[in-house]
Amino acid sequence: MKQAFSLLIKPSSADCNLRCTYCFYLKKSELYPESKIHRMSDEVLEKMISSYLSTDQPVYVFGWQGGEPTLMGLEFFEKVIALQQKYGKGKTVSNSLQTNGTLLDEPFAQFLARYNFLVGISLDGPPEVHNMYRTRVDGSHTHASVLQGIEHLEKNEVEFNVLTLVNQANVSKGREIYDYLCSQNINYQQYIPCVEFDQKGNLAPFAITGEQWGQCLCDVYDEWIKRDTNRVSIRTFDGIVNHMVNGSYAACHMAGNCCQYFVVEHNGDIYPCDFYVEEERRLGNLLQDSWADMQNADKYLEFGNRKAEWNQQCSQCEFLTYCAGDCPKHRSYNANEDSHLSWLCDGWKMFYQHSLPGFRKLAENYVRHNSVKSAPKLFVDRKFDRNGSCYCGSNKKYKKCHGAIG
């Protein structure tokens, strides 16, 4: 079997009901200027699902993202399930949905629960922090609407995690943000760094420095390690311990190659990564090109191999195994992406120097208490975007399948 791959799907392209100041994907609508509204057609949807489910995968991973994917409406996702049932009998299918949460209502939450969608909600902290950058088109605040969406998910027992983008509004408040999320009973958390530059190569005013990133991670870690290691799941932290226990990479920035998934735009155009949805990176279109041809394309393979073209200093770094030079996006400032150190390098070093002794103890305790000869999957019930749900033709319904893929 060839290298497995997943799909990150943009059914509404860059269209969104919000205008978050730091959003990097809004400008991708410039790739499709022929229309102001972008929606995936039934033809593209069926071809995508049928062709992907005909490939050989251990788990068929559909990640629905945007823009804002809930703009497609509930009827669209009902079609998704019907097509997955039609073409996926006997196969393990996973659906995740990343959303700003403001359009979720009771019927939508009931649907997500019925078919075991894993949901990611964007929430940057308490109102005064979240509302700094996450506003609607008219500038109005969104925090209350996000909490209402979360209430619908909790009421219907939908599995979800919160994604917090670490930006200038919250980067100095790591402890406060962590405590706030925990006070909201949000025990599955992701922290993502905001790194964006303008056309002149200057750091965007909402973006963060490496030192700020490192200090924020240290602050969150210090609160978590004291009391919450068995209660709160933080994706970056889980990924580090997973690697210590079984050598797997749960986060793409830790791996040595970027050939892991395909981005599917609303019209079927395929790209290698949502940070690189650019005309020159376009690999083809699923209506004309096969997954095998795109997976074997020189353009795709070269893109993936660029991950290992890290700075010479990285080869001597004691923390290389945890970042592999970091995401190429963070190395591409000032137009020299192949030789740059990651913009976040100093921060990652600060964090690893501070936290690795504690993570090693956690890993050692896990192995000791589980008496493993060959390390198993760690934290398989953690609510991140690799948990599975499967459609089984024998019982005609979806059911949880905790066969997580790393």
Side-chain angles (χ1 to χ4, degrees):
M1 185 182 74
K2 286 186 61 63
Q3 176 69 33
F5 65 93
S6 59
L7 300 184
L8 183 61
I9 307 151
K10 310 281 188 173
S12 56
S13 190
D15 296 358
C16 189
N17 61 319
L18 306 189
R19 288 297 180 271
C20 301
T21 309
Y22 50 53
C23 181
F24 73 93
Y25 209 79
L26 280 173
K27 63 183 178 181
K28 301 303 181 183
S29 61
E30 297 172 2
L31 289 170
Y32 305 103
E34 65 279 359
S35 176
K36 291 185 178 180
I37 298 177
H38 307 90
R39 300 290 184 269
M40 181 172 283
S41 68
D42 290 348
E43 178 190 15
V44 171
L45 178 64
E46 183 161 11
K47 178 67 173 179
M48 175 184 67
I49 291 176
S50 63
S51 62
Y52 181 48
L53 289 173
S54 70
T55 65
D56 185 12
Q57 310 290 330
V59 179
Y60 296 84
V61 181
F62 295 84
W64 305 92
Q65 212 179 78
E68 177 48 47
T70 59
L71 286 174
M72 299 299 297
L74 180 55
E75 182 180 355
F76 172 83
F77 288 99
E78 290 173 339
K79 292 178 183 177
V80 167
I81 295 301
L83 289 169
Q84 290 176 346
Q85 291 175 341
K86 178 180 179 180
Y87 294 105
K89 286 182 171 58
K91 297 181 178 181
T92 305
V93 175
S94 169
N95 284 293
S96 64
L97 177 74
Q98 181 63 43
T99 174
N100 59 46
T102 62
L103 300 178
L104 293 177
D105 57 16
E106 191 69 9
F108 215 134
Q110 290 173 352
F111 168 85
L112 296 171
R114 185 178 308 120
Y115 295 106
N116 291 317
F117 273 67
L118 175 64
V119 178
I121 297 281
S122 295
L123 179 64
D124 285 353
E128 65 275 12
V129 173
H130 176 91
N131 290 330
M132 180 73 71
Y133 297 126
R134 300 193 64 82
T135 60
R136 295 183 177 86
V137 177
D138 62 4
S140 59
H141 294 164
T142 63
H143 186 271
S145 296
V146 176
L147 291 192
Q148 187 174 48
I150 289 175
E151 288 180 9
H152 289 304
L153 297 179
E154 291 177 330
K155 178 181 177 182
N156 290 280
E157 299 183 343
V158 178
E159 292 194 353
F160 74 95
N161 65 75
V162 157
L163 186 154
T164 296
L165 189 71
V166 179
N167 55 73
Q168 280 300 332
N170 59 16
V171 69
S172 64
K173 306 175 185 295
R175 287 185 172 87
E176 294 91 327
I177 301 303
Y178 176 75
D179 287 341
Y180 171 76
L181 295 181
C182 291
S183 73
Q184 298 295 313
N185 296 316
I186 296 169
N187 295 329
Y188 298 89
Q189 304 173 13
Q190 299 187 59
Y191 296 87
I192 307 295
C194 181
V195 179
E196 298 292 338
F197 298 88
D198 63 24
Q199 293 181 343
K200 296 182 180 180
N202 300 312
L203 187 69
F206 46 76
I208 63 174
T209 67
E211 183 178 2
Q212 288 176 316
W213 172 240
Q215 188 60 59
C216 183
L217 284 180
C218 288
D219 290 344
V220 172
Y221 171 85
D222 286 343
E223 293 301 304
W224 176 80
I225 197 71
K226 287 188 298 188
R227 61 182 186 272
D228 291 333
T229 58
N230 291 319
R231 183 177 72 89
V232 177
S233 172
I234 297 176
R235 186 179 186 184
T236 299
F237 299 176
D238 284 357
I240 292 169
V241 181
N242 260 312
H243 179 66
M244 289 178 173
V245 172
N246 60 30
S248 68
Y249 290 108
C252 65
H253 80 272
M254 295 175 67
N257 189 285
C258 288
C259 290
Q260 300 182 36
Y261 67 93
F262 290 114
V263 172
V264 184
E265 254 292 342
H266 73 290
N267 66 343
D269 283 347
I270 305 298
Y271 300 89
C273 171
D274 63 335
F275 289 136
Y276 291 90
V277 174
E278 304 162 346
E279 181 57 39
E280 60 271 24
R281 299 285 186 186
R282 181 179 174 275
L283 299 170
N285 185 286
L286 62 84
L287 294 177
Q288 292 87 37
D289 302 289
S290 71
W291 297 112
D293 286 346
M294 290 184 285
Q295 199 172 19
N296 291 320
D298 289 343
K299 186 186 294 189
Y300 185 56
L301 298 175
E302 289 168 4
F303 174 83
N305 291 334
R306 285 174 54 246
K307 181 66 161 69
E309 295 175 358
W310 50 64
N311 188 280
Q312 290 184 354
Q313 295 181 49
C314 295
S315 298
Q316 283 76 49
C317 179
E318 61 182 307
F319 307 124
L320 180 62
T321 187
Y322 299 106
C323 78
D326 202 10
C327 176
K329 174 181 181 286
H330 299 153
R331 308 194 311 227
S332 60
Y333 53 96
N334 295 336
N336 191 1
E337 54 195 65
D338 290 339
S339 63
H340 270 311
L341 288 169
S342 166
W343 177 258
L344 302 175
C345 180
D346 289 343
W348 282 121
K349 286 182 176 179
M350 177 194 305
F351 170 62
Y352 289 134
Q353 190 74 45
H354 180 72
S355 64
L356 285 185
F359 285 131
R360 291 191 182 102
K361 289 182 180 179
L362 289 176
E364 290 167 0
N365 286 338
Y366 178 84
V367 172
R368 184 183 309 115
H369 292 153
N370 287 276
S371 302
V372 291
K373 295 181 179 179
S374 59
K377 289 291 184 183
L378 187 62
F379 304 142
V380 294
D381 62 337
R382 297 294 169 105
K383 300 180 184 179
F384 295 119
D385 62 3
R386 293 295 189 246
N387 281 358
S389 60
C390 65
Y391 178 76
C392 176
S394 60
N395 61 19
K396 304 296 183 183
K397 66 180 181 179
Y398 279 76
K399 61 182 180 180
K400 290 184 181 178
C401 174
H402 290 297
I405 61 174

